[in-house]
Amino acid sequence: MADVELQVARQNASLRIQVEDRLRQAIASGRFKPGQRLVERELCELLAVGRTSVREALRQLEAEGLITSFAHRGPVVSTISYEEADQLYSVRALLESFAGQQFAENGTAEDIEELERRVAEFADAADSGSGSRLIAAKTAFYECLMNGSGNAFVKQMLTSLHNRVTLLRMTSMTQPGRLKHSVSEIQEISAAIRDRNGPKAAAACKHHIEMAAKVALEYLRKSEAGKS
């Protein structure tokens, strides 16, 4: 049997993950917009890394649905249609309400304390007006919510949905009046979980997703109507 080198270059893996995270943030914040072409050479210059790291990161983001590759054009930031977004938010509401109920009923005291910290961080980010802080804080909140549910399969499915909804998250949060309601909604989720009220936590999670969906879908409806 031939010898196979199985050792992993940790530094290279870490670099690739950093590149992936930077590109996700750039897409989530709107720096790279849906339909925008991503040129490898330009990304290498922006990120100060080599082509290998950029290519590996682009492949991962394509697997997540954030990037679409076209023949003779290369990678492009994915777009999401009204119908796709409607379906995505419907499934997400079901899964996230389940995660919230499981968290309330089974989460540890330490999980709940961390969730409350994440909620406070999101409220602070909302006051700061920083788009990058908002995205990072909201992502951390959802990560905590998924972890607290204690269900690895729900986390896996929700992570996939969250990666797709990244294309819409900043659009949704920056619509007039939405951010204030978003803060209030996740505070309600946290309060229900702290009170160990599973059904109330599920309802609060579902309401939060439905309100985000309403804003995002209205934006997409107007956007698609303007193109027709």
Side-chain angles (χ1 to χ4, degrees):
M1 179 183 293
D3 291 334
V4 177
E5 177 59 58
L6 295 178
Q7 291 188 352
V8 175
R10 295 184 180 181
Q11 186 174 3
N12 290 341
S14 176
L15 178 61
R16 188 198 71 240
I17 291 170
Q18 289 182 58
V19 174
E20 290 172 13
D21 287 342
R22 294 294 188 278
L23 291 176
R24 281 195 200 93
Q25 291 169 14
I27 292 170
S29 67
R31 178 168 182 175
F32 297 150
K33 302 182 184 302
Q36 181 176 342
R37 183 169 173 248
L38 299 176
V39 181
E40 278 188 11
R41 176 179 51 77
E42 294 175 357
L43 292 177
C44 290
E45 293 175 359
L46 285 170
L47 297 164
V49 296
R51 283 182 179 257
T52 299
S53 296
V54 168
R55 286 174 181 170
E56 290 176 346
L58 290 175
R59 278 197 293 268
Q60 175 60 32
L61 297 188
E62 183 173 8
E64 295 173 7
L66 288 176
I67 288 172
T68 304
S69 290
F70 295 95
H72 311 301
R73 192 179 178 198
V76 172
V77 179
S78 298
T79 57
I80 186 166
S81 69
Y82 181 99
E83 183 178 357
E84 288 171 331
D86 189 27
Q87 294 175 4
L88 186 155
Y89 277 112
S90 294
V91 175
R92 186 179 164 203
L94 289 172
L95 290 173
E96 219 149 285
S97 60
F98 177 78
Q101 181 160 353
Q102 290 294 295
F103 195 153
E105 296 174 354
N106 304 315
T108 67
E110 290 78 12
D111 290 333
I112 293 173
E113 288 177 4
E114 182 181 354
L115 185 71
E116 292 180 332
R117 287 195 298 272
R118 298 307 184 188
V119 171
E121 287 171 2
F122 180 65
D124 288 342
D127 288 337
S128 75
S130 167
S132 59
R133 279 190 63 190
L134 273 174
I135 292 296
K138 198 68 176 291
T139 299
F141 166 78
Y142 287 129
E143 181 76 11
C144 185
L145 182 70
M146 292 186 291
N147 288 337
S149 76
N151 190 308
F153 295 101
V154 166
K155 180 178 180 179
Q156 183 180 24
M157 289 183 283
L158 276 174
T159 297
S160 176
L161 294 177
H162 285 170
N163 287 337
R164 286 289 284 155
V165 88
T166 292
L167 296 164
L168 295 171
R169 185 170 292 160
M170 200 63 189
T171 295
S172 173
M173 287 195 297
T174 55
Q175 297 306 300
R178 174 60 196 151
L179 187 55
K180 178 178 69 175
H181 291 298
S182 185
V183 171
S184 176
E185 288 158 15
I186 69 168
Q187 288 172 339
E188 290 177 11
I189 293 170
S190 179
I193 290 173
R194 184 182 62 242
D195 293 341
R196 299 292 188 178
N197 190 327
K200 188 174 181 180
C205 287
K206 186 171 184 287
H207 175 70
H208 176 56
I209 301 307
E210 288 175 344
M211 293 301 99
K214 182 179 179 180
V215 173
L217 291 172
E218 178 62 15
Y219 170 85
L220 285 174
R221 186 187 65 79
K222 291 179 178 178
S223 178
E224 291 184 0
K227 295 175 182 177
S228 61

